[in-house]
Every structure is written in C-alpha cells, then in structure tokens.
Amino acid sequence: MKGKGLIFIISGPAGSGKGTVASILRDTLPTVGLSVSATTRSPRPGETDGKSYFFITRDEFEKLVAEGEIIEHTEYCSNLYGTLRREVVRITEEGRDVILEIEVEGAMQVKRLMGDDVVTVMLTAPSASELERRLRGRGTESDEVIRRRLARAREELAYSDKYDYVVFNETGKAEECAALVAGIIDAEHVRSRRRRDFVEGFIRDLTAACENRE
Ligand code: 5GP
C-alpha cells in the first residue's frame, strides 16, 4: 500500500538520457506524474506546448515568480526554467508521486523547501567517454560547444554527493534504467520513517490483542 505522494527529482547532464527515462516512468507507472515545467526558451522541433514545457515569455515567467506560482527556478543557458506549483499540486492531489526532471540548482531549492518528501536521483552515462560520444552523436556541434557541454556536465556531476542515488544509464538500456528508478520509488515508500504511522497502529492493535487474551 502506498502512502502519500513523494517528489522524485531526476537530474543529470545533457546526454544522460534523463528525459527518456522520465518519459518511460510517466508512461509505465500509473502512480507517478511528470511535472511539466515553464520555460522562456523556444520550442524545439517536435516539442508541444503544455506537454514538453509551458513555453512562456520572460515577462510572464517573472509575473509567475512574483505571484509565488513557481516553486523553484533557475537560469540555464540564458533561459529561465521553473517548476509550477499548480503542476505539483495537480499530481499530488491525485495521490500520485511527482517526477521533476530539473537541473541541480533547482533540485537543491526543492530539497530545502520540501526536505523529507523529496528523493533525488542523479542520472549519468556510465563514463566520461560515453557521455562525450553521445554529445557528439548528432555530429552538428562544434568542438567548442562540445567542450562547454562537457564542462557543464562536470559541474553537474560534482553535485552527486548531495543526491540520494546515482544511477548509470547504459547506452540502449533506458528501460532497464527506468526499472531501476521504479525500484527506488517503491523502496522509498517503504522506508521505516515513512511507515511510522502504520507500525504504530499495528503495535496498538497487537497490544489490544494481547490485553484481550490476558
Ligand atoms: P532543455 O532546454 O534541454 O529542455 O533543459 C535544460 C535543462 O533545464 C535540463 O537540465 C533540464 O533538466 C532543466 N530543467 C527543465 N525544467 C526545469 C525546471 O523547471 N527547473 C529547473 N531548475 N531546471 C529545469
């Protein structure tokens, strides 16, 4: 039996495959919902408003921050990204866990804000050379762009010891990786500190059962 919904943050450098893993979890686990963030960046081909992101202007974004409608936000590559309160409320009110696919600074903000109910997962390629191979994959980026992305990946991975879990996403094995994260989700729900109410009730019932037999 599941308790109340928890917040699972999935972070990882570009090339870690976190978007794919988060989508697999959303599509395969009815008990989780993927929060759709707001961003000021333009949609990429194939992205839809309201599904990939809510694409808004900088003015609209700043208004939402001022109104307290954005619970964490950060500037990344000259664009603003933020988690919408209404998304987290929508999913938790349905009794489901929330997945936030966000970068490290936002993750730390959410942890500070909601501590106990937040579980953080850092996803990465299994090695630096594999990450570089994935970043070069499309073959369209210059050496300078690749170098900047690798430097950013190094910064992000340096946060790993602040995360609860570090999970490797082996190439071509996104399903296995998602299964591992699904296992983490299940395990977090049965942590003893989250079962305290259940155990206390159990012990009360046992005490009553013992007394009835005296
Ligand atoms: P992209 O532009 O490639 O979709 O995302 C760039 C980075 O922003 C990724 O690391 C992604 O995880 C992060 N990101 C997406 N949405 C949010 C958000 O709501 N808050 C924060 N802090 N980061 C986000």
Side-chain angles (χ1 to χ4, degrees), residues 181-202:
V181 178
I184 291 171
I185 293 175
D186 280 343
E188 285 292 333
H189 277 279
V190 293
R191 270 191 183 281
S192 56
R193 66 184 161 85
R194 298 202 174 99
R195 304 226 113 187
R196 232 168 251 152
D197 291 350
F198 167 77
V199 172
E200 278 167 13
F202 202 146

Side-chain angles (χ1 to χ4, degrees), residues 117-128:
D117 291 337
V118 179
V119 180
T120 49
V121 180
M122 174 70 79
L123 214 67
T124 174
S127 65

Side-chain angles (χ1 to χ4, degrees), residues 10-14 18 35-39 41 44 47 53 72-77 79 81-84 101-107 109 152 156:
I10 300 183
S11 303
K18 59 186 184 302
S35 161
V36 179
S37 295
T39 183
R41 90 152 158 72
R44 295 186 186 127
E47 287 186 331
Y53 284 103
E72 66 71 32
H73 68 283
T74 197
E75 183 140 2
Y76 183 97
C77 295
N79 292 303
Y81 293 84
T83 302
L84 292 161
E101 191 241 289
I102 65 178
E103 54 68 61
V104 291
E105 284 169 17
Q109 290 177 48
R152 175 81 201 189
E156 288 177 292

